[in-house]
Coordinates of all heavy atoms in Angstrom, one line a residue:
Q698 N 18.1 -13.5 -7.3 CA 19.4 -13.3 -7.9 C 19.7 -14.4 -9.0 O 20.3 -14.0 -10.1 CB 20.5 -13.4 -6.9 CG 20.5 -12.1 -5.9 CD 21.5 -12.2 -4.8 OE1 22.0 -13.3 -4.5 NE2 21.8 -11.1 -4.2
K699 N 19.3 -15.6 -8.8 CA 19.5 -16.7 -9.8 C 18.7 -16.4 -11.0 O 19.1 -16.9 -12.1 CB 19.1 -18.0 -9.2 CG 20.2 -18.7 -8.3 CD 19.9 -20.1 -8.0 CE 20.1 -21.0 -9.2 NZ 20.0 -22.4 -8.9
N700 N 17.6 -15.6 -10.9 CA 16.8 -15.3 -12.1 C 17.2 -14.0 -12.7 O 16.5 -13.5 -13.6 CB 15.4 -15.3 -11.7 CG 14.8 -16.7 -11.7 OD1 14.3 -17.3 -12.7 ND2 14.9 -17.3 -10.5
G701 N 18.4 -13.5 -12.3 CA 18.9 -12.3 -13.0 C 18.4 -11.0 -12.5 O 18.5 -10.0 -13.2
F702 N 17.8 -10.9 -11.3 CA 17.3 -9.7 -10.8 C 17.9 -9.3 -9.5 O 18.6 -10.2 -8.8 CB 15.8 -9.8 -10.6 CG 15.0 -10.0 -11.8 CD1 14.5 -11.2 -12.2 CD2 14.7 -8.9 -12.7 CE1 13.7 -11.4 -13.3 CE2 14.0 -9.1 -13.9 CZ 13.5 -10.4 -14.2
E703 N 17.8 -8.1 -9.0 CA 18.3 -7.6 -7.7 C 17.2 -7.0 -7.0 O 16.3 -6.4 -7.5 CB 19.5 -6.7 -7.9 CG 20.7 -7.3 -8.5 CD 21.4 -8.3 -7.5 OE1 21.2 -8.2 -6.3 OE2 22.1 -9.2 -8.0
L704 N 17.2 -7.0 -5.6 CA 16.2 -6.4 -4.8 C 16.6 -4.9 -4.6 O 17.7 -4.5 -4.5 CB 16.2 -7.1 -3.4 CG 15.4 -8.4 -3.4 CD1 15.6 -9.1 -2.0 CD2 13.9 -8.2 -3.6
N705 N 15.5 -4.1 -4.5 CA 15.6 -2.7 -4.1 C 15.3 -2.7 -2.6 O 14.2 -2.6 -2.2 CB 14.7 -1.8 -4.9 CG 14.7 -0.4 -4.5 OD1 15.4 0.0 -3.6 ND2 14.0 0.5 -5.2
H706 N 16.3 -2.8 -1.8 CA 16.1 -3.0 -0.3 C 15.4 -1.8 0.3 O 14.8 -2.0 1.4 CB 17.5 -3.2 0.3 CG 18.1 -4.5 -0.1 ND1 17.7 -5.8 0.3 CD2 19.2 -4.8 -1.0 CE1 18.4 -6.7 -0.3 NE2 19.3 -6.1 -1.0
S707 N 15.5 -0.6 -0.3 CA 14.8 0.5 0.3 C 13.3 0.4 0.3 O 12.6 1.1 1.0 CB 15.3 1.8 -0.4 OG 14.8 1.8 -1.7
K708 N 12.8 -0.5 -0.5 CA 11.3 -0.6 -0.6 C 10.8 -1.9 0.1 O 9.6 -2.3 -0.1 CB 10.9 -0.6 -2.1 CG 11.1 0.8 -2.7 CD 10.4 0.8 -4.1 CE 10.6 2.2 -4.7 NZ 9.9 2.3 -6.0
T709 N 11.7 -2.6 0.8 CA 11.2 -3.8 1.5 C 10.5 -3.4 2.8 O 10.9 -2.6 3.5 CB 12.5 -4.7 1.9 OG1 13.2 -5.0 0.7 CG2 12.0 -5.9 2.7
R710 N 9.3 -4.0 3.0 CA 8.5 -3.7 4.1 C 7.5 -4.8 4.5 O 7.0 -5.6 3.7 CB 7.6 -2.4 3.9 CG 6.7 -2.5 2.7 CD 6.1 -1.2 2.3 NE 5.2 -1.3 1.2 CZ 3.9 -1.0 1.1 NH1 3.4 -0.5 2.2 NH2 3.2 -1.2 0.0
M711 N 7.3 -4.9 5.8 CA 6.4 -5.9 6.4 C 5.2 -5.1 6.9 O 5.4 -4.1 7.6 CB 7.0 -6.7 7.5 CG 6.1 -7.7 8.1 SD 5.5 -9.0 7.0 CE 6.9 -10.1 7.1
Q712 N 4.0 -5.5 6.7 CA 2.8 -4.9 7.2 C 1.9 -5.8 8.0 O 1.7 -7.0 7.6 CB 2.0 -4.3 6.0 CG 2.7 -3.4 5.1 CD 1.9 -3.0 3.8 OE1 1.2 -2.1 3.8 NE2 2.1 -3.8 2.8
Y713 N 1.5 -5.4 9.1 CA 0.7 -6.2 10.0 C -0.8 -5.9 10.0 O -1.1 -4.7 9.7 CB 1.2 -6.0 11.5 CG 2.7 -6.1 11.6 CD1 3.5 -5.0 11.6 CD2 3.3 -7.4 11.7 CE1 4.9 -5.1 11.7 CE2 4.7 -7.5 11.9 CZ 5.5 -6.4 11.8 OH 6.8 -6.5 12.0
R714 N -1.6 -6.8 10.3 CA -3.1 -6.6 10.3 C -3.5 -5.5 11.3 O -4.6 -4.9 11.1 CB -3.8 -7.9 10.5 CG -3.7 -8.5 11.9 CD -4.8 -9.5 12.2 NE -5.0 -10.5 11.1 CZ -5.2 -11.8 11.3 NH1 -5.4 -12.2 12.5 NH2 -5.4 -12.6 10.3
T715 N -2.7 -5.3 12.3 CA -3.1 -4.3 13.3 C -2.9 -2.8 12.8 O -3.4 -1.9 13.4 CB -2.3 -4.4 14.6 OG1 -0.9 -4.5 14.2 CG2 -2.7 -5.7 15.3
N716 N -2.2 -2.7 11.7 CA -2.0 -1.4 11.0 C -2.6 -1.5 9.6 O -3.0 -2.6 9.2 CB -0.6 -1.0 11.0 CG 0.0 -0.9 12.4 OD1 -0.6 -0.2 13.2 ND2 1.2 -1.5 12.6
R717 N -2.5 -0.4 8.9 CA -3.0 -0.4 7.5 C -2.1 -1.2 6.6 O -0.9 -1.0 6.7 CB -3.2 1.0 6.9 CG -3.9 1.0 5.6 CD -4.2 2.4 5.1 NE -3.1 3.0 4.6 CZ -3.1 4.2 4.0 NH1 -4.3 4.9 4.0 NH2 -2.0 4.8 3.5
Q718 N -2.6 -2.2 5.8 CA -1.8 -2.9 4.9 C -2.2 -2.5 3.5 O -3.4 -2.4 3.2 CB -2.1 -4.4 5.1 CG -1.8 -5.0 6.4 CD -2.3 -6.4 6.7 OE1 -3.5 -6.6 6.4 NE2 -1.5 -7.3 7.2
S719 N -1.2 -2.3 2.6 CA -1.5 -1.9 1.3 C -0.7 -2.7 0.3 O 0.5 -3.0 0.6 CB -1.3 -0.4 1.1 OG 0.1 -0.1 1.2
V720 N -1.3 -3.0 -0.8 CA -0.6 -3.7 -1.9 C -0.9 -2.9 -3.2 O -2.1 -2.7 -3.5 CB -1.1 -5.2 -2.0 CG1 -0.5 -5.9 -3.2 CG2 -0.8 -5.9 -0.8
T721 N 0.1 -2.6 -4.0 CA 0.0 -1.8 -5.2 C -0.9 -0.6 -5.0 O -1.8 -0.3 -5.8 CB -0.4 -2.7 -6.4 OG1 -1.5 -3.5 -6.1 CG2 0.8 -3.4 -6.9
G722 N -0.8 0.1 -3.9 CA -1.5 1.3 -3.6 C -2.9 1.1 -3.1 O -3.6 2.1 -2.9
L723 N -3.4 -0.1 -2.8 CA -4.7 -0.4 -2.3 C -4.7 -1.0 -0.9 O -3.8 -1.8 -0.6 CB -5.4 -1.3 -3.3 CG -5.6 -0.8 -4.7 CD1 -6.2 -1.9 -5.6 CD2 -6.5 0.4 -4.7
V724 N -5.6 -0.6 -0.1 CA -5.7 -1.1 1.3 C -6.4 -2.5 1.2 O -7.4 -2.7 0.5 CB -6.6 -0.2 2.1 CG1 -6.7 -0.7 3.5 CG2 -5.9 1.2 2.2
V725 N -5.8 -3.5 1.9 CA -6.3 -4.8 1.8 C -6.6 -5.5 3.2 O -6.8 -6.7 3.3 CB -5.2 -5.7 1.1 CG1 -5.0 -5.3 -0.3 CG2 -3.9 -5.7 1.9
N726 N -6.7 -4.7 4.2 CA -7.0 -5.2 5.6 C -8.3 -6.0 5.5 O -8.4 -7.1 6.1 CB -7.1 -4.1 6.6 CG -5.8 -3.4 6.9 OD1 -5.3 -2.7 6.0 ND2 -5.2 -3.7 8.0
Q727 N -9.4 -5.5 4.9 CA -10.7 -6.2 4.9 C -11.1 -6.2 3.4 O -10.9 -7.2 2.7 CB -11.7 -5.4 5.7 CG -11.4 -5.5 7.2 CD -11.4 -6.9 7.8 OE1 -12.2 -7.7 7.3 NE2 -10.5 -7.2 8.7
V728 N -11.8 -5.2 2.9 CA -12.2 -5.1 1.5 C -11.1 -4.3 0.7 O -10.5 -3.3 1.2 CB -13.5 -4.3 1.3 CG1 -13.9 -4.2 -0.1 CG2 -14.6 -5.1 2.1
T729 N -10.7 -4.8 -0.4 CA -9.7 -4.1 -1.3 C -10.3 -2.7 -1.6 O -11.3 -2.6 -2.2 CB -9.4 -4.9 -2.5 OG1 -8.9 -6.2 -2.2 CG2 -8.4 -4.2 -3.4
N730 N -9.6 -1.7 -1.2 CA -10.1 -0.3 -1.4 C -9.0 0.7 -1.6 O -7.9 0.5 -1.3 CB -11.0 0.0 -0.1 CG -12.1 1.0 -0.5 OD1 -12.2 1.6 -1.6 ND2 -13.0 1.1 0.4
T731 N -9.4 1.9 -2.1 CA -8.5 3.0 -2.2 C -8.3 3.6 -0.8 O -9.2 3.6 0.0 CB -9.0 4.1 -3.1 OG1 -10.4 4.3 -2.8 CG2 -8.9 3.6 -4.6
P732 N -7.1 4.2 -0.5 CA -6.9 4.8 0.8 C -7.8 6.0 1.0 O -8.2 6.7 0.1 CB -5.4 5.2 0.7 CG -4.8 4.4 -0.4 CD -5.9 4.1 -1.4
A733 N -8.1 6.2 2.3 CA -9.0 7.2 2.7 C -8.5 8.6 2.3 O -9.2 9.5 1.8 CB -9.3 7.2 4.2
E734 N -7.2 8.8 2.4 CA -6.6 10.1 2.0 C -6.7 10.4 0.5 O -6.8 11.6 0.1 CB -5.1 10.2 2.4 CG -4.2 9.2 1.8 CD -4.0 8.0 2.7 OE1 -4.9 7.6 3.4 OE2 -2.9 7.4 2.5
V735 N -6.8 9.4 -0.3 CA -7.0 9.6 -1.8 C -8.4 10.1 -2.0 O -8.6 11.1 -2.8 CB -6.8 8.3 -2.5 CG1 -7.2 8.4 -4.0 CG2 -5.3 7.8 -2.5
R736 N -9.4 9.6 -1.3 CA -10.7 10.0 -1.5 C -10.9 11.4 -0.9 O -11.6 12.3 -1.5 CB -11.7 9.1 -0.7 CG -11.7 7.7 -1.4 CD -12.4 6.6 -0.5 NE -12.5 5.4 -1.2 CZ -13.5 4.9 -2.0 NH1 -14.6 5.7 -2.1 NH2 -13.5 3.8 -2.6
R737 N -10.3 11.7 0.2 CA -10.4 13.1 0.8 C -9.7 14.1 -0.2 O -10.2 15.2 -0.4 CB -9.7 13.1 2.2 CG -10.5 12.4 3.3 CD -10.0 12.8 4.6 NE -8.6 12.5 4.8 CZ -8.2 11.3 5.4 NH1 -9.1 10.4 5.8 NH2 -6.9 11.0 5.5
T738 N -8.6 13.7 -0.7 CA -7.9 14.6 -1.6 C -8.7 14.9 -2.9 O -8.9 16.1 -3.3 CB -6.5 14.0 -2.0 OG1 -5.7 13.9 -0.9 CG2 -5.8 14.9 -3.0
A739 N -9.3 13.9 -3.4 CA -10.2 14.1 -4.6 C -11.3 15.0 -4.3 O -11.7 15.9 -5.1 CB -10.7 12.7 -5.1
R740 N -12.0 14.8 -3.2 CA -13.1 15.6 -2.8 C -12.7 17.1 -2.6 O -13.4 18.0 -3.1 CB -13.7 15.1 -1.5 CG -15.0 15.6 -1.0 CD -15.4 15.1 0.3 NE -15.6 13.7 0.3 CZ -16.7 13.1 0.1 NH1 -17.8 13.8 -0.1 NH2 -16.8 11.8 0.1
A741 N -11.6 17.3 -1.9 CA -11.1 18.7 -1.7 C -10.7 19.4 -3.0 O -11.0 20.6 -3.2 CB -10.0 18.7 -0.7
M742 N -10.0 18.6 -3.9 CA -9.6 19.2 -5.1 C -10.8 19.6 -6.0 O -10.8 20.7 -6.6 CB -8.6 18.2 -5.9 CG -7.3 18.1 -5.2 SD -6.3 16.7 -5.9 CE -6.0 17.2 -7.5
A743 N -11.8 18.7 -6.0 CA -13.0 19.0 -6.8 C -13.7 20.2 -6.3 O -14.1 21.1 -7.1 CB -13.9 17.8 -6.8
H744 N -13.8 20.3 -5.0 CA -14.5 21.5 -4.4 C -13.8 22.8 -4.7 O -14.5 23.8 -5.1 CB -14.6 21.3 -2.8 CG -15.2 22.4 -2.1 ND1 -16.6 22.6 -2.1 CD2 -14.7 23.5 -1.4 CE1 -16.9 23.7 -1.4 NE2 -15.7 24.2 -1.0

């Protein structure tokens, strides 16, 4: 707030290592990677 911005509270979230963690759309639990559903979708659409 002191720097002239406001939070969008609807997008605030905490992610734990026991579940899938993502940052800017990428999974970061172990290796930075695209989500499995993105790969499945691309495969199905191409077929």
Side-chain angles (χ1 to χ4, degrees):
Q698 290 176 342
K699 281 192 70 174
N700 281 271
F702 297 103
E703 293 292 334
L704 282 171
N705 180 352
H706 295 286
S707 66
K708 293 189 177 181
T709 299
R710 60 191 175 123
M711 178 66 79
Q712 303 173 88
Y713 310 95
R714 67 162 50 142
T715 51
N716 299 312
R717 189 172 78 177
Q718 298 168 315
S719 64
V720 177
T721 45
L723 298 173
V724 179
V725 294
N726 293 70
Q727 294 298 322
V728 176
T729 302
N730 209 347
T731 48
E734 61 267 26
V735 170
R736 294 169 177 264
R737 287 195 299 269
T738 298
R740 191 185 297 268
M742 289 168 69
H744 178 76

